[in-house]
């Protein structure tokens, strides 16, 4: 984990894309790309997204400012406490890529919500084996 302060510092140097790669327990790999902006510490590293491409349905709200929260910093939101790990939660059920590593053998409803998952608004849970979150400049020529 690179850390929010370092990612914020990097993104202040220009325009970047966010790419999320997901692998489920059957070996299927999918991805989604967003143009994004990341706020600094004073905004709780708020994230604003706009989908650009991908092979998986969107599970994060677009054009909304999502605040990064953890169990010890978000008393108004129960998502980090009940779903483990810090994340940009808007609703507790859309996605959690910083949760507990849960294998398919423990698919109980309570465990699934604490694991790594991606859940589109009107879709099913994708219980994940691995995730990658990457950024790169929109203009690779200047990189």
């Amino acid at each position: 984990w690179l850390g929010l302060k370092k990612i914020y510092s990097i993104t202040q140097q220009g325009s970047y894309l966010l790419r999320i790669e997901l692998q489920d327990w059957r070996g299927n790999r999918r991805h989604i790309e967003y143009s994004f902006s990341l706020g600094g510490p004073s905004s709780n590293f708020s994230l604003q997204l706009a989908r650009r491409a991908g092979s998986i349905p969107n599970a994060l709200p677009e054009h909304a400012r999502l605040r990064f929260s953890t169990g010890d910093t978000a008393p108004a939101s129960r998502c980090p406490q009940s779903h483990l790990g810090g994340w940009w939660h808007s609703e507790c059920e859309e996605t959690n890529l910083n949760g507990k590593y849960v294998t398919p053998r423990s698919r109980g409803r309570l465990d699934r919500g604490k694991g790594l998952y991606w859940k589109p608004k009107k879709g099913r849970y994708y219980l994940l084996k691995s995730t990658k979150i990457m950024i790169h400049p929109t203009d690779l020529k200047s990189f």
Side-chain angles (χ1 to χ4, degrees):
W1 176 239
L2 187 57
L4 291 170
K5 288 180 183 177
K6 289 180 182 173
I7 295 169
Y8 173 70
S9 177
I10 291 168
T11 60
Q12 294 310 292
Q13 299 172 25
S15 182
Y16 284 77
L17 293 177
L18 174 72
R19 181 180 172 101
I20 299 173
E21 294 182 357
L22 309 172
Q23 181 182 6
D24 67 19
W25 286 92
R26 293 183 179 147
N28 299 314
R29 294 178 186 270
R30 298 180 184 210
H31 73 279
I32 191 164
E33 290 184 4
Y34 298 97
S35 54
F36 78 104
S37 65
L38 182 67
S42 64
S43 72
N44 288 6
F45 298 99
S46 63
L47 181 67
Q48 193 167 5
L49 302 166
R51 182 189 168 117
R52 298 194 32 134
S55 60
I56 193 168
N58 193 14
L60 292 167
E62 295 185 72
H63 311 295
R65 291 208 176 275
L66 305 174
R67 299 176 115 181
F68 190 85
S69 57
T70 61
D72 60 345
T73 62
S77 170
R78 290 278 181 230
C79 298
Q81 290 103 348
S82 62
H83 288 70
L84 305 176
W87 189 247
W88 290 276
H89 293 284
S90 66
E91 298 176 18
C92 290
E93 299 212 352
E94 77 280 322
T95 146
N96 188 7
L97 302 185
N98 276 336
K100 182 180 174 185
Y101 197 69
V102 176
T103 63
R105 288 183 295 273
S106 57
R107 282 190 183 220
R109 188 167 181 87
L110 295 174
D111 281 346
R112 180 177 60 193
K114 292 181 177 160
L116 304 174
Y117 65 89
W118 185 267
K119 183 183 180 298
K121 196 79 161 163
K122 292 184 179 177
R124 65 179 192 84
Y125 278 90
Y126 292 96
L127 188 60
L128 302 169
K129 181 177 183 179
S130 68
T131 65
K132 287 183 190 175
I133 303 172
M134 302 170 281
I135 62 171
H136 68 81
T138 54
D139 179 11
L140 291 176
K141 292 176 188 172
S142 66
F143 183 59

